[in-house]
Amino acid sequence: MRTTRVTIAVLATAAALTLTACGGEPVKTGSVTQISGGQNTTKAATVLDRPFGKPDLVLTDTTGKPWNLREQTKGKPTLIYFGYTNCPDVCPLTMSNIAVAKKALPQADQDNLQVVFVTTDPDRDTPESLGAWLRSQDPAFTGLTGDFAAIQAAARSLGIGIEAATKEADGSVVSMHGAQVIAFSPKTDEGYVLYGEGTTVDDYTKDLPKIVKGENP
């Protein structure tokens, strides 16, 4: 079996056009371009032939202090996910799967791995509420909140579409966002692996030992 490789331009187009409404079905905001190149569905990881650059993003962490994504994660294996704490299903499951898989790593690798959760609903996800939610997943996870426009631009630079939270007719608030996890290499600081919504604990458990070394899963 081989890990899927796709061109970043096509992948970014597809990812940006497919948003997940937590608690609902994926919503297509346009015609998704079909990915070519012999996609292999037996592997969760998609290794990108042209990696993403790490966004130049400074937001507020759960302690209320500025947090520079590039500086704080430089030279460290990093997983980045965009979601929100009021999501009833996709976001907590994704973070839980990563948290469980992380525990299978040697302690030194656990300490080195950076897992960054960037909220797509900064109006409700304050540093305090975001911190409390992440502590239930893994106290070492980093949570970031701040200006929505900056968050949206950073997500788009990674081919991930997000939209501002909206209030539904029943009074619920929904944040539409892409459900991809991007893994950044400690060797290059580039996002070279993408994981989709269906990635399981076992998938992450198998791949994280290679991700922390900057190797292809």
Side-chain angles (χ1 to χ4, degrees):
M1 296 187 296
R2 64 182 177 83
T3 303
T4 305
R5 284 182 177 271
V6 298
T7 61
I8 193 170
V10 176
L11 180 62
T13 300
L17 292 173
T18 305
L19 304 181
T20 294
C22 292
E25 296 297 322
V27 177
K28 302 293 177 62
T29 60
S31 299
V32 177
T33 303
Q34 184 173 351
I35 298 173
S36 60
Q39 186 172 359
N40 187 336
T41 58
T42 61
K43 297 278 277 186
T46 297
V47 177
L48 306 176
D49 63 345
R50 284 180 290 168
F52 290 107
K54 190 173 290 182
D56 185 8
L57 186 63
V58 180
L59 293 172
T60 302
D61 68 14
T62 56
T63 69
K65 296 179 180 179
W67 206 87
N68 187 308
L69 178 64
R70 286 184 177 176
E71 290 182 2
Q72 297 293 114
T73 62
K74 185 177 182 180
K76 297 181 179 180
T78 303
L79 302 180
I80 295 179
Y81 181 76
F82 293 82
Y84 68 118
T85 65
N86 286 282
C87 171
D89 42 32
V90 178
C91 300
L93 178 60
T94 298
M95 300 309 290
S96 176
N97 286 347
I98 294 172
V100 172
K102 177 187 167 187
K103 292 179 181 177
L105 291 169
Q107 189 60 53
D109 288 341
Q110 291 188 46
D111 294 341
N112 197 35
L113 178 65
Q114 303 291 298
V115 180
V116 181
F117 181 93
V118 184
T119 182
T120 59
D121 184 15
D123 287 343
R124 290 189 295 169
D125 285 343
T126 64
E128 295 78 15
S129 64
L130 184 55
W133 187 81
L134 283 175
R135 282 193 293 274
S136 69
Q137 302 283 352
D138 186 320
F141 285 177
T142 296
L144 300 178
T145 187
D147 179 67
F148 177 79
I151 292 169
Q152 186 179 51
R156 284 177 174 172
S157 75
L158 299 175
I160 299 174
I162 66 173
E163 294 180 0
T166 57
K167 193 170 185 178
E168 302 295 292
D170 62 1
S172 63
V173 178
V174 175
S175 176
M176 304 287 285
H177 62 90
Q180 299 84 11
V181 174
I182 307 291
F184 287 78
S185 169
K187 296 178 179 178
T188 64
D189 281 323
E190 294 180 319
Y192 74 115
V193 179
L194 180 146
Y195 292 97
E197 181 180 331
T199 307
T200 66
V201 172
D202 287 344
D203 293 326
Y204 284 120
T205 300
K206 291 175 182 177
D207 289 359
L208 284 183
K210 293 184 178 180
I211 294 294
V212 296
K213 297 177 182 177
E215 299 174 352
N216 288 351

